[in-house]
Amino acid sequence: AQSVTQLDSQVPVFEEAPVELRCNYSSSVSVYLFWYVQYPNQGLQLLLKYLSGSTLVKGINGFEAEFNKSQTSFHLRKPSVHISDTAEYFCAVNSGGSNYKLTFGKGTLLTVNP
Amino acid sequence: EAGVAQSPRYKIIEKRQSVAFWCNPISGHATLYWYQQILGQGPKLLIQFQNNGVVDDSQLPKDRFSAERLKGVDSTLKIQPAKLEDSAVYLCASSGGQARSYEQYFGPGTRLTVT
C-alpha cells in the first residue's frame, strides 16, 4: 500500500522569502511523484512530476522539487514566493501498476503575506 | 485544448435527497476518475473508468453512490440518498494514452453541501 505524509498543514511566509513544503511517501515499489496546486474554488493543477531520471525536477511558476529515495521524500521549494502563490499544495504518489492510482497527502496551505 | 468540464459547480440539497454530477473529460482521454475531497483533506479516489469499464471502485460507497460512463466519454456520478457526511467537493479527472497515463488533468469540481 502507498501513502503520503505532508508534514505541515499550514505554512505562512512573507513575500519574496524562500519556502519549502515537505512531503514523505511510503511505497513498497518504485514510485512516481507529483505536486499539485489548488487555488480557491478551483480544481487541481499539476506543478511538477518525477517519473525517472534527474532527481531535481523543475515545474511551473518557479517551483522545483527533489526526489530523495533514501529518505523517501519529495520536498517542494521556491526561492522567492509571491502573493499569488497563496494556495493549497498537494503531494501525490503513483506506484504504477495497471491502474496508475494516485494517493494524495492531506495538503499544505501556503499563505504568502505582504 | 479544452479541459475537463464539470457541472454543476455548486449544489445544495437536504439529506436523503438525490443528486447527480456530470463530467466531460478531455477529448481522447480513455481514463476517467471521480474523487471526493472533504474539507481539509486530500482528494480520495472513488471510482476509475478505463473507456466504459470500471477499473477500481474499491472506495465507492456502493449502497448510495453509483457512477456510469456510457459510450466511454462523459460520466455521471450519483448519490442516493445523500447524507450529511457527503458534503465535499467532487472532482473529475482524466488521463490519456499509455505514455501519459501518469498525468491526471482535473476539472474545477462540484461543491456539494448536504443540509
Side-chain angles (χ1 to χ4, degrees), chain A:
Chain A
Q2 56 193 31
S3 66
V4 176
T5 302
Q6 293 186 240
L7 298 161
D8 306 295
S9 60
Q10 297 186 49
V11 174
V13 295
F14 287 109
E15 193 173 18
E16 298 183 6
V19 70
E20 178 180 82
L21 306 183
R22 298 180 292 169
C23 171
N24 286 90
Y25 68 90
S26 172
S27 176
S28 58
V29 298
S30 297
V31 295
Y32 306 99
L33 295 156
F34 304 81
W35 275 99
Y36 283 86
V37 60
Q38 187 175 35
Y39 299 102
N41 298 316
Q42 295 186 28
L44 278 71
Q45 179 184 3
L46 181 65
L47 266 181
L48 48 79
K49 62 183 182 288
Y50 171 78
L51 302 182
S52 65
S54 173
T55 57
L56 182 62
V57 179
K58 294 189 183 298
I60 62 172
N61 300 340
F63 284 92
E64 63 181 31
E66 185 157 18
F67 170 57
N68 188 318
K69 187 174 181 180
S70 62
Q71 297 187 6
T72 62
S73 68
F74 191 54
H75 300 333
L76 181 70
R77 302 186 183 100
K78 186 171 183 178
S80 176
V81 294
H82 303 290
I83 299 285
S84 59
D85 292 323
T86 295
E88 188 94 30
Y89 291 79
F90 292 94
C91 181
V93 62
N94 179 325
S95 296
S98 61
N99 64 356
Y100 308 106
K101 179 178 177 179
L102 273 180
T103 299
F104 286 87
K106 291 187 175 182
T108 298
L109 176 61
L110 173 65
T111 303
V112 182
N113 299 300

Side-chain angles (χ1 to χ4, degrees), chain A residues 2 93-94 99-105, chain B residues 31-38 41-50 54-62 65 77 89-95 104 106:
Chain A
Q2 56 193 31
V93 62
N94 179 325
N99 64 356
Y100 308 106
K101 179 178 177 179
L102 273 180
T103 299
F104 286 87
Chain B
T31 309
L32 185 147
Y33 310 80
W34 282 103
Y35 289 87
Q36 180 191 57
Q37 185 179 16
I38 292 173
Q41 298 183 20
K44 181 185 81 172
L45 180 68
L46 291 175
I47 188 167
Q48 177 185 347
F49 292 94
Q50 180 74 18
V54 175
V55 174
D56 184 347
D57 64 356
S58 57
Q59 298 195 85
L60 186 73
K62 298 181 185 63
F65 286 65
L77 176 70
V89 176
Y90 291 85
L91 295 164
C92 180
S94 69
S95 63
Q104 296 183 23
F106 285 80

